Amino acid sequence: MVAISTALSAQHGLLIRNRTAFENARKITAIIFDKTGTLTEGAFGVTRISTHSAAYSEQDILQLAASLEQNSEHPIAEGIVKHAKAQGLALQEVTDFQSLTSRGIRGKIAGKEVFVVSPNYLKDNNIALPENVLSDAAETIVFVLVEGRLAGFIALADRLRETSASAVDAFHEDGVKVVMATGDNKQVAESVKRQLGLNDVYAEVLPHQKVEIVERLQKQGEFVAMTGDGVNDAPALARADVGIAVGSGTDVAAETADIILVNSDPQDILRLVRFGKATYRKMVQNLFWATAYNLVTIPLAAGIFYPHLMISPAFGAVLMSVSTIVVALNAQLLRRSLK
């Protein structure tokens, strides 16, 4: 098991934390992906900024959001801060910073309470969405509120990984159902579903809803793997039959998961599943060979068919050595599954 884990880690960026996780990988029949950083690159770029109040310009909206987001490690935050710095905007000091689970962040800037939040926060607080918020592009939208009033919004886009489509196709070929559960809006989720050919998507979900999705699939008889990178994914990672954390994610996700995906590449998960199945096949083949050998040679050596047929102890020892060599050579063929 140590050799297998080392080989997988060295060649394909997988850190397997326990033997059970590797053994369970071959049983996976459904896998749930969080979107950002796994199926997508997780490198958000600002596509447009819109104001909803005459008191604030587009630069004001960007500066407020970036100032607040500089305290966050989320890929969306990195995209906003990077764009603000590229525009030469100075980030302001933030006090009373607070993370709102699956909703956004808040803090005080120049004595005013500022929020950078998701569409769900607006729905929960009965704040109407701006008419120009929707577009045909697969964008993630964050809204900027000042003193409880909508000041504007920022739209960002995240590119799909080049390997995502081929990985999803390969999972389907192997009979594995591929599902996406994301806190992002339905439009983005449906766009990703169309591009990758996913079996199903769940949009605008909270941490406890991701757990419910895992449990629902388990009740349907699926052996479920969950892949995620954030604190919000940790409960679902723990509940899944196999939890897979993205290496670039949070420490909480990594500590909860059974397997850590160092390079954040879904192809590595595919290799793990296929290698697990190949290992099991080799175990069955070697068990069959060893059993067949003993069923034939032990009766012969014991003289059951004497005097018509019998093998000498020396010849039996040679056959035992041959059996060991055959099993060892068959096991070595597993290296092909690592390629």
Side-chain angles (χ1 to χ4, degrees):
M1 177 61 197
V2 173
I4 290 172
S5 298
T6 302
L8 283 168
S9 298
Q11 295 190 35
H12 300 303
L14 285 163
L15 177 58
I16 302 172
R17 304 183 64 185
N18 58 70
R19 178 173 179 173
T20 303
F22 176 73
E23 293 173 347
N24 285 341
R26 69 176 178 84
K27 304 176 185 177
I28 294 172
T29 60
I31 183 166
I32 303 170
F33 283 100
D34 179 42
K35 178 179 72 68
T36 305
T38 307
L39 294 177
T40 65
E41 294 179 353
F44 282 86
V46 174
T47 55
R48 58 193 175 108
I49 302 172
S50 178
T51 63
H52 195 66
S53 170
Y56 299 96
S57 66
E58 291 185 3
Q59 281 199 330
D60 293 332
I61 297 298
L62 179 60
Q63 186 179 41
L64 287 170
S67 298
L68 202 56
E69 294 283 20
Q70 66 182 313
N71 295 286
S72 173
E73 298 178 352
H74 195 280
I76 290 177
E78 294 176 1
I80 292 174
V81 172
K82 182 179 179 180
H83 190 72
K85 289 181 176 180
Q87 298 293 319
L89 299 178
L91 303 186
Q92 298 173 283
E93 182 180 354
V94 178
T95 58
D96 298 332
F97 177 84
Q98 181 184 357
S99 177
L100 310 173
T101 304
S102 296
R103 288 293 187 266
I105 54 177
R106 63 164 294 281
K108 286 190 175 181
I109 300 176
K112 294 183 178 180
E113 190 173 42
V114 179
F115 290 78
V116 178
V117 295
S118 68
N120 280 335
Y121 181 89
L122 269 61
K123 292 178 183 177
D124 292 345
N125 291 273
N126 297 317
I127 300 174
L129 292 172
E131 293 181 358
N132 62 336
V133 71
L134 298 178
S135 73
D136 294 331
E139 296 174 322
T140 296
I141 312 291
V142 294
F143 298 88
V144 179
L145 280 66
V146 180
E147 296 294 329
R149 295 187 176 183
L150 182 62
F153 67 82
I154 300 175
L156 305 96
D158 184 15
R159 293 188 302 176
L160 291 174
R161 288 188 182 276
E162 293 182 358
T163 57
S164 292
S166 58
V168 172
D169 289 342
F171 275 122
H172 287 161
E173 289 175 6
D174 291 359
V176 177
K177 183 183 296 184
V178 185
V179 177
M180 184 178 75
T182 177
D184 222 326
N185 63 70
K186 292 181 180 179
Q187 184 178 2
V188 171
E190 289 296 332
S191 175
V192 173
K193 180 182 179 181
R194 287 193 301 271
Q195 292 179 68
L196 297 183
L198 303 176
N199 294 93
D200 205 354
V201 295
Y202 299 88
E204 301 177 9
V205 295
L206 300 174
H208 73 274
Q209 292 173 318
K210 290 186 178 182
V211 175
E212 291 171 359
I213 294 168
V214 171
E215 292 175 341
R216 189 179 307 135
L217 287 171
Q218 289 172 332
K219 289 178 181 178
Q220 293 172 3
E222 306 287 356
F223 197 87
V224 182
M226 171 70 196
T227 303
D229 66 344
V231 175
N232 296 338
D233 300 313
L237 289 172
R239 184 66 185 85
D241 298 298
V242 180
I244 305 171
V246 174
S248 59
T250 64
D251 291 339
V252 174
E255 286 298 321
T256 306
D258 304 303
I259 298 168
I260 298 176
L261 194 64
V262 178
N263 298 323
S264 308
D265 188 346
Q267 286 280 3
D268 291 337
I269 304 175
L270 176 65
R271 294 187 185 101
L272 172 65
V273 174
R274 288 183 169 178
F275 188 65
K277 291 179 178 179
T279 301
Y280 182 74
R281 284 196 300 270
K282 290 300 176 186
M283 290 171 58
V284 173
Q285 290 169 7
N286 287 341
L287 181 61
F288 173 81
W289 170 257
T291 302
Y293 164 82
N294 285 294
L295 286 174
V296 173
T297 57
I298 290 178
L300 290 175
I304 291 178
F305 301 106
Y306 178 83
H308 305 289
L309 184 62
M310 185 175 179
I311 61 174
S312 67
F315 187 62
V318 172
L319 287 179
M320 177 63 77
S321 299
V322 171
S323 174
T324 302
I325 292 171
V326 170
V327 169
L329 290 176
N330 190 35
Q332 286 298 313
L333 294 176
L334 270 173
R335 293 181 181 275
R336 295 182 180 179
S337 300
L338 281 171
K339 297 178 180 179

